[in-house]
Amino acid sequence: MNVYDSEKIVSDLAFYGYEKTESVESADLVVLNTCTIREKAEQKAFSFLGRLTKLKQKKSHLIVAVGGCVAQQEGEKLVKRAPVVDIVFGTHAIDRLPQHIKQIEDHKHRVIDVKISESIYEKDFHKKTRENEVVTTFVTIMQGCENYCTYCVVPYVRGKEMSRQPDRIIEEIKHLVNEGVREVTLLGQNVNSYGIKQGFCSFAQLLERINVIDGLMRIRFTTSHPKDLSVKLMNAFVSCEKLCNHIHLPVQSGSDRILKLMNRRYNRDDYLEKVTSLRKIQPDISISTDIIVGFPGETSEDFAQTLDLIREVGYDSLFAFKYSDRPKVPSRHLSGKISENEKTLRLQKVLALQEETTLKKNRALAGSIQQVLVEGLSKKQKGKENQNHDIQWTGRTQSNIVVNFSFTSNNDITFDQILTGRIVGVRIEKAYPHSLWGKSVYIEPENQGLKGDECYAA
Ligand code: SAH
Ligand code: SF4
């Protein structure tokens, strides 16, 4: 979400004549977009502001604006802690940033704007074409959250749940496709409840409308709260051929006792039943999750149940986090806090277990041909485009695994414009814990769906 918001900030400011710089040191305006989901993210923001304090001593005209969730949470307090800041703009004030900058330029009066609005903000995506051509991008379809999981700060810093109008979302995606985007990831804290409050269409219906947008090749979404995952949405994996075969379904814990303390409103069995139903509908669906280790009161037995659930589901990948106390959230008042050391140990166990599974799953793909949406030249290749004919590319499978592959050409052209944004069939030769490596065997014709049969050899 912050990436999406940052893109909006960049395009708004470009309209007012600002350009991106290569380094912070050469900037006249620094906009810091912050996250407060865990304490570490907040600390990072403050340590960056410390660096800016030194910079401003050398460069007095420097304007510093802080936005996002830390800004929303701290408001006026942020300026007391970091006097270097000129503008504090909250999660609902992104639209007003240009006018706040103007005010600082004109009068030098500090601005604090953390008003939460009752209506959803709309990104004016017609203002400017994107700076860099990208193949895959995010599209926010809703903001806020009212689920109040007891550990989570989101409802306090992002406000009430509000969905964007389906027509505006479709219009935005069509605009992005015109600019070269081939894959969108639809964002919401719980996309399953999209449209319900406002009486718009359901999320499954929205997917059907997006699925028929010409030129769009792939659709992803995140996040889906397990309690609201409906059969209709599961069926969309079959009916919408552009919807990638992957779902992120955060479980957080494998212990019923902890799930209750977290106010997740499902238990272990409910979750496992949903996974079984999903796999019945779409047998090879890739499933990822989020895990919190060391929630207050988590015993070794609770933790063992989490490990056991991870084994039982056999996730394709996961994100694991050490529990972190956040301002205002109910869990900070729970007893039985777990030590940092113990949290670190539990985190390592989760990651080691998953690494084993991921590697096993990745190895099983050796020899198969995967459809890869090409995002561009691989990191290794950048800057050496014309040095040889065996060019290295990077992209992702439908199940979201990074694939680096080589494409051998017999002439001198750089294939950047040709392969980027195309679906390429790659024969997998090597599997690593976080990526695959292979060689291209065919390129799908341009603007075809995912499952085209008339591929031609390359
Ligand atoms: N809306 C999404 C989650 C957004 S936050 C959902 O419900 O799935 C992303 C992840 O951060 C969460 O899934 C959770 O695993 C983690 N997280 C949130 N608050 C946290 C906290 N206080 N400490 C540690 N991890 C946290
Ligand atoms: Fe936070 Fe997600 Fe729960 Fe909302 S659903 S409170 S964003 S963890």
Side-chain angles (χ1 to χ4, degrees):
M1 266 173 195
N2 273 14
V3 171
Y4 180 84
D5 289 347
S6 297
E7 279 176 5
K8 173 175 165 47
I9 293 169
V10 169
S11 76
D12 278 0
L13 294 183
F15 189 74
Y16 289 94
Y18 276 94
E19 281 171 21
K20 269 193 190 171
T21 59
E22 288 301 314
S23 71
V24 176
E25 283 68 25
S26 56
D28 300 306
L29 162 72
V30 178
V31 183
L32 178 61
N33 195 5
T34 59
C35 171
T36 187
I37 196 82
R38 283 167 291 276
E39 197 181 358
K40 209 166 162 193
E42 186 181 328
Q43 283 166 352
K44 260 193 191 166
F46 280 103
S47 85
F48 182 74
L49 288 174
R51 223 176 112 195
L52 291 186
T53 307
K54 290 194 194 111
L55 191 62
K56 199 161 178 166
Q57 281 158 3
K58 287 190 239 152
K59 202 175 185 179
S60 61
H61 70 276
L62 180 73
I63 300 176
V64 177
V66 180
C69 294
V70 175
Q72 189 64 47
Q73 175 186 289
E74 297 294 300
E76 189 90 42
K77 278 189 284 173
L78 194 144
V79 176
K80 293 210 177 88
R81 212 167 139 189
V84 69
V85 176
D86 300 293
I87 302 166
V88 178
F89 65 106
T91 52
H92 288 218
I94 293 176
D95 279 350
R96 298 186 288 275
L97 178 62
Q99 83 198 41
H100 296 332
I101 293 172
K102 179 92 180 57
Q103 188 179 325
I104 298 289
E105 285 170 343
D106 292 349
H107 318 284
K108 282 276 165 204
H109 287 148
R110 193 171 263 155
V111 185
I112 317 271
D113 180 357
V114 288
K115 274 195 296 278
I116 290 275
S117 65
E118 289 302 313
S119 59
I120 197 154
Y121 84 80
E122 275 298 340
K123 172 165 156 167
D124 187 354
F125 45 85
H126 291 301
K127 253 183 203 163
K128 185 190 166 280
T129 51
R130 304 162 66 79
E131 231 171 82
N132 303 312
E133 201 172 283
V134 290
V135 169
T136 173
T137 195
F138 297 111
V139 173
T140 290
I141 61 165
M142 55 206 295
Q143 68 184 36
C145 182
E146 289 164 51
N147 281 312
Y148 293 97
C149 301
T150 56
Y151 51 82
C152 184
V153 75
V154 170
Y156 308 94
V157 290
R158 292 255 169 193
K160 293 224 160 75
E161 182 191 288
M162 275 182 276
S163 300
R164 289 178 67 198
Q165 281 191 13
D167 288 349
R168 293 303 306 267
I169 297 169
I170 304 283
E171 200 185 345
E172 176 168 6
I173 297 175
K174 284 185 176 164
H175 174 77
L176 291 168
V177 169
N178 269 339
E179 298 207 326
V181 167
R182 295 289 168 260
E183 174 184 277
V184 287
T185 301
L186 310 173
L187 294 176
Q189 296 300 345
N190 178 19
V191 293
N192 298 320
S193 55
Y194 171 81
I196 296 173
K197 224 169 112 182
Q198 277 86 359
F200 299 151
C201 63
S202 68
F203 182 57
Q205 286 165 327
L206 179 71
L207 283 173
E208 275 161 24
R209 286 188 63 185
I210 297 174
N211 190 52
V212 296
I213 295 179
D214 266 354
L216 183 70
M217 290 172 169
R218 287 183 172 182
I219 309 166
R220 301 183 187 278
F221 62 81
T222 195
T223 297
S224 183
H225 195 305
K227 78 176 164 57
D228 297 321
L229 176 61
S230 65
V231 174
K232 261 193 188 156
L233 183 55
M234 294 183 196
N235 284 329
F237 283 102
V238 179
S239 62
C240 299
E241 77 279 8
K242 292 180 186 175
L243 185 57
C244 288
N245 211 5
H246 168 226
I247 189 164
H248 187 62
L249 203 57
V251 69
Q252 315 298 359
S253 168
S255 150
D256 282 347
R257 206 177 64 81
I258 298 295
L259 287 171
K260 197 149 199 218
L261 284 173
M262 287 176 164
N263 189 31
R264 286 294 282 180
R265 289 180 273 170
Y266 54 80
N267 61 30
R268 181 189 173 102
D269 284 350
D270 299 334
Y271 184 90
L272 289 171
E273 262 169 41
K274 298 230 169 167
V275 169
T276 306
S277 309
L278 253 172
R279 285 184 168 150
K280 231 180 239 160
I281 291 171
Q282 189 69 330
D284 58 348
I285 193 158
S286 147
I287 306 178
S288 57
T289 201
D290 287 349
I291 301 282
I292 297 179
V293 298
F295 187 81
E298 185 187 68
T299 61
S300 35
E301 174 52 28
D302 292 317
F303 178 61
Q305 288 175 15
T306 298
L307 292 178
D308 185 63
L309 181 131
I310 295 172
R311 266 184 226 109
E312 188 166 345
V313 174
Y315 290 107
D316 291 82
S317 64
L318 59 74
F319 297 97
F321 310 103
K322 291 193 255 183
Y323 168 79
S324 164
D325 262 345
R326 305 310 299 129
K328 291 193 185 155
V329 306
S331 64
R332 65 178 297 126
H333 305 296
L334 289 175
S335 57
K337 293 279 162 66
I338 311 294
S339 71
E340 271 313 297
N341 266 354
E342 183 58 29
K343 283 194 258 185
T344 305
L345 282 176
R346 292 183 188 182
L347 184 78
Q348 284 165 347
K349 282 189 184 157
V350 168
L351 296 177
L353 172 61
Q354 185 55 42
E355 203 141 291
E356 222 177 88
T357 317
T358 309
L359 191 57
K360 218 184 274 169
K361 288 192 176 223
N362 284 357
R363 282 194 179 136
L365 295 175
S368 70
I369 295 178
Q370 296 293 315
Q371 290 177 321
V372 174
L373 175 61
V374 183
E375 293 174 16
L377 293 171
S378 74
K379 275 190 209 140
K380 218 164 110 189
Q381 190 67 46
K382 284 210 172 118
K384 301 187 228 160
E385 286 85 337
N386 293 318
Q387 286 178 12
N388 58 43
H389 297 306
D390 190 10
I391 299 182
Q392 311 278 314
W393 297 87
T394 191
R396 279 171 195 267
T397 62
Q398 269 208 54
S399 56
N400 216 17
I401 309 174
V402 171
V403 179
N404 295 305
F405 67 96
S406 73
F407 179 92
T408 309
S409 83
N410 48 13
N411 56 35
D412 274 337
I413 53 170
T414 300
F415 277 87
D416 199 12
Q417 297 78 10
I418 299 174
L419 277 199
T420 300
R422 300 283 291 272
I423 303 264
V424 171
V426 177
R427 177 172 289 113
I428 304 303
E429 295 191 353
K430 283 187 200 146
Y432 302 103
H434 302 289
S435 64
L436 299 169
W437 192 87
K439 285 191 178 148
S440 65
V441 286
Y442 65 78
I443 310 172
E444 280 200 1
E446 218 156 0
N447 285 346
Q448 295 291 305
L450 285 172
K451 291 165 185 152
D453 289 322
E454 331 104 280
C455 311
Y456 56 85

